[in-house]
Amino acid sequence: MLKASLALDPHLVVADVHRRTFGSFVEHMGRCVYTGIFEPEHAAADDDGHRADVLQLTRELGVSMVRYPGGNFVSGYRWEDGVGPVDQRPTRLDAAWYSLETNAHGIGEFVSWARKAGVEVNYAVNLGTRGVQEALDVLEYANHPHGTYWSDLRVAHGHREPFDIRLWCLGNEMDGPWQTGHKTAHEYGRLAAETARAMRQIQPELELVACGSSGSGMPTFGAWEATVLEEAYDQIDLISAHAYYDEATAGDLGSFLASAMDMEAVIERVVATVDRVGARRGERRRVDLSFDEWNVWYQGDLEVPREWSRAPRVAEDVYDLVDAIVVGSLLITLLRNSDRVSAACQAQLVNALGILRTEPGGPAWRQASFHPFAQASRFARGRVLHAEPVSPMYDTVQYGPAPLVHAVATHDPESDEVTIFAVNRHQREDVALTIETRGFPDHRFVERFVLDGDLRACNTQQQPERVVPRRVDAAEPVPGGLQIALAPVSWNVIRLGPRAVG
Ligand code: AHR
């Protein structure tokens, strides 16, 4: 049998696990908002029109923070269209997704939804068609207590308490020619710096995310970040990165399963660029990454409707087991890089590219990729450990040699629990993973979960529970640790604790 090992040491710490790593994204795209989180006519809708079934699944998913309202959508959005009496809100053309935007759902509704879901709001301002003033207006509406034009309007709209939004995105993917109001790096860098400076004059403690390049395949990748940071380094806290992967673009299954290698390289390159600019400028403060769009997305299949309609079906990819394993592996990479990636948003929450699916007037269900996310959010606690698997390699067309076992371990000093998240990328064979627990001599195996089986199995409205993790109670004790057989193409969660529980 193929063999790999992973040595655990509580003293070798990468960084704390950031709760913001488990962020998601709600964009006015397709049916993410309308008939996704919001469907007043639905039997499960609450008094605000939010679907209680989606809220419940969002809580179960363990999402910590949600970016809103876009995405490409935000670059042509007028936030004030979405506040006040609903019957007076204008319907507009949304050029990003060729949709009619009724504005029935706006910032106030979103903040109410986020509170019910127990998630932090990450709000994006429009720096495509708009600028500094509109960003200041929405900040005043959202966060100022009362006694000014915009804050009093918020109170008049029924939101007495300020929204207290701390994390703000300064636009979206501004290097993309598809972006409404697309800019050069210099133009955007200046605008981001001035917007940030003005927002901080109102509220210095805000955390601000500048747009990095929209992808590593962009001709602007790297140079964009460098120019933007030269303009805005001292005004921002985070710079964004975006990455989507799919099997068709990867070209073969082996490469697709190794998609996290690309994400790892993206992080490495953006960090190198950030630090180079920081060093050149003599900055003491570090800028970290917000990986605020990542997922599997079959972009080649994307058909944007060519007739104006409300909440059309856009994307709505159905994710299979392989996609779920890749999502798990991408999460492993985000966790492994917790020293520099302090926020991330799986894109998106529901429908569109969602980890959840709904039918209008019908049920809501978990896509296959729901499970690695939910388990990582639930069990990755405390600190990320430096635990590098020693693994056999395999050849990939896209990335050359890739490790068969991709893993990360976390240790929660409070509960003393250790969790290992591991993916086996081998398509046919088990890999025997030895977990060396000498650093945790009093720890015992608690439980493990495995997501494996038919690679093409999906969860659908008819079969919503086809892909679910199974619990396994056994691990083989070996000298210095324990051994687990990782099934081919599988996601594994292995939990150790100071004593056996459950
Ligand atoms: O998440 C879908 C789209 O992907 C977003 O609107 C955009 O930012 C990215 O290109």
Side-chain angles (χ1 to χ4, degrees):
M1 195 194 284
L2 291 160
K3 287 187 169 19
S5 63
L6 186 75
L8 303 177
D9 184 332
H11 306 294
L12 299 181
V13 174
V14 175
D16 285 349
V17 174
H18 304 290
R19 289 317 300 161
R20 282 180 178 165
T21 301
F22 304 104
S24 187
F25 179 29
V26 166
E27 175 168 8
H28 285 243
M29 171 183 176
R31 300 191 306 112
C32 188
V33 172
Y34 302 108
T35 73
I37 64 168
F38 181 73
E39 189 178 347
E41 309 74 28
H42 196 278
D46 64 16
D47 291 347
D48 301 323
H50 291 126
R51 286 184 61 149
D53 51 355
V54 174
L55 273 167
Q56 190 271 324
L57 287 174
T58 303
R59 286 188 287 261
E60 186 186 318
L61 183 60
V63 170
S64 56
M65 166 269 277
V66 178
R67 183 168 173 249
Y68 178 85
N72 296 342
F73 170 79
V74 79
S75 297
Y77 180 52
R78 285 173 261 213
W79 68 271
E80 59 275 35
D81 286 348
V83 300
V86 175
D87 56 358
Q88 290 167 29
R89 297 186 191 178
T91 293
R92 303 265 191 200
L93 298 179
D94 161 29
W97 301 113
Y98 218 92
S99 308
L100 290 177
E101 174 55 57
T102 64
N103 285 299
H105 196 274
I107 187 170
E109 286 80 14
F110 184 70
V111 170
S112 303
W113 178 86
R115 289 191 176 146
K116 289 180 278 189
V119 305
E120 180 186 3
V121 173
N122 173 2
Y123 194 82
V125 299
N126 173 359
L127 292 189
T129 57
R130 308 190 105 186
V132 182
Q133 185 59 59
E134 293 87 349
L136 292 181
D137 293 347
V138 68
L139 174 62
E140 182 184 315
Y141 183 90
N143 284 5
H144 195 70
H146 57 83
T148 65
Y149 176 78
W150 289 112
S151 60
D152 283 348
L153 207 55
R154 185 199 67 241
V155 174
H157 293 159
H159 306 281
R160 205 164 61 85
E161 294 305 319
F163 295 156
D164 197 19
I165 302 173
R166 203 181 163 97
L167 186 61
W168 296 73
C169 293
L170 303 168
N172 176 69
E173 292 193 347
M174 296 309 306
D175 68 336
W178 58 86
Q179 203 69 212
T180 312
H182 156 235
K183 296 186 171 38
T184 66
H186 186 71
E187 288 165 346
Y188 171 71
R190 290 281 308 120
L191 180 57
E194 291 311 319
T195 307
R197 205 186 321 274
M199 289 175 80
R200 279 197 206 286
Q201 275 172 351
I202 291 184
Q203 233 186 311
E205 72 277 17
L206 297 178
E207 292 176 72
L208 303 176
V209 187
C211 295
S213 172
S214 45
S216 62
M218 295 290 292
T220 33
F221 183 70
W224 171 273
E225 282 85 351
T227 307
V228 168
L229 286 160
E230 285 292 355
E231 296 294 345
Y233 194 107
D234 52 357
Q235 299 299 331
I236 61 158
D237 302 284
L238 298 157
I239 186 145
S240 71
H242 291 180
Y244 292 101
Y245 302 96
D246 71 276
E247 196 173 336
T249 308
D252 65 291
L253 181 56
S255 298
F256 181 48
L257 286 165
S259 297
M261 291 188 69
D262 179 76
M263 184 188 246
E264 192 87 42
V266 169
I267 294 169
E268 221 173 83
R269 288 176 201 166
V270 177
V271 165
T273 307
V274 170
D275 289 351
R276 182 173 179 277
V277 176
R280 198 207 62 72
R281 293 168 52 110
E283 302 282 356
R284 286 174 178 274
R285 200 178 48 90
R286 225 176 54 178
V287 167
D288 284 337
L289 267 64
S290 172
F291 218 116
D292 57 23
E293 285 188 33
W294 68 269
N295 202 356
V296 172
W297 179 13
Y298 288 82
Q299 290 197 53
D301 299 340
L302 180 69
E303 282 175 22
V304 176
R306 281 295 159 214
E307 273 182 26
W308 296 104
S309 62
R310 292 177 188 181
R313 288 183 190 262
V314 178
E316 307 211 355
D317 291 353
V318 177
Y319 296 119
D320 65 19
L321 177 80
V322 176
D323 299 322
I325 305 300
V326 170
V327 162
S329 186
L330 297 172
L331 273 164
I332 287 173
T333 293
L334 292 169
L335 283 167
R336 282 168 56 98
N337 287 281
S338 294
D339 54 336
R340 296 310 297 268
V341 180
S342 54
C345 302
Q346 170 276 335
Q348 301 181 356
L349 182 69
V350 53
N351 301 324
L353 331 176
I355 211 159
L356 303 174
R357 281 292 300 274
T358 66
E359 272 304 308
W365 65 96
R366 306 164 189 83
Q367 294 240 42
S369 51
F370 177 99
H371 297 291
F373 190 105
Q375 291 192 322
S377 173
R378 179 161 165 216
F379 295 122
R381 299 278 155 171
R383 298 166 177 164
V384 180
L385 300 182
H386 265 295
E388 193 57 52
V390 178
S391 166
M393 307 294 279
Y394 73 112
D395 285 325
T396 68
V397 177
Q398 293 293 336
Y399 309 113
L404 278 175
V405 174
H406 187 217
V408 68
T410 60
H411 174 225
D412 184 355
E414 266 181 45
S415 64
D416 210 12
E417 287 189 358
V418 176
T419 305
I420 297 112
F421 304 93
V423 161
N424 176 9
R425 293 168 169 153
H426 201 292
Q427 293 173 39
R428 288 170 306 280
E429 290 184 35
D430 284 5
V431 177
L433 176 68
T434 300
I435 300 170
E436 296 172 15
T437 55
R438 286 186 191 90
F440 292 93
D442 299 329
H443 280 58
R444 301 284 177 272
F445 173 79
V446 174
E447 62 180 347
R448 78 179 163 111
F449 298 94
V450 184
L451 193 65
D452 66 344
D454 176 352
L455 301 192
R456 300 304 163 197
C458 303
N459 291 340
T460 59
Q461 183 177 357
Q462 291 69 33
Q463 283 189 293
E465 304 281 318
R466 182 145 178 237
V467 184
V468 286
R470 57 194 171 88
R471 191 186 142 129
V472 184
D473 284 323
E476 192 186 328
V478 291
L482 48 97
Q483 200 175 74
I484 309 272
L486 306 178
V489 191
S490 62
W491 158 262
N492 304 267
V493 180
I494 301 142
R495 299 185 58 231
L496 313 178
R499 59 186 182 284
V501 289

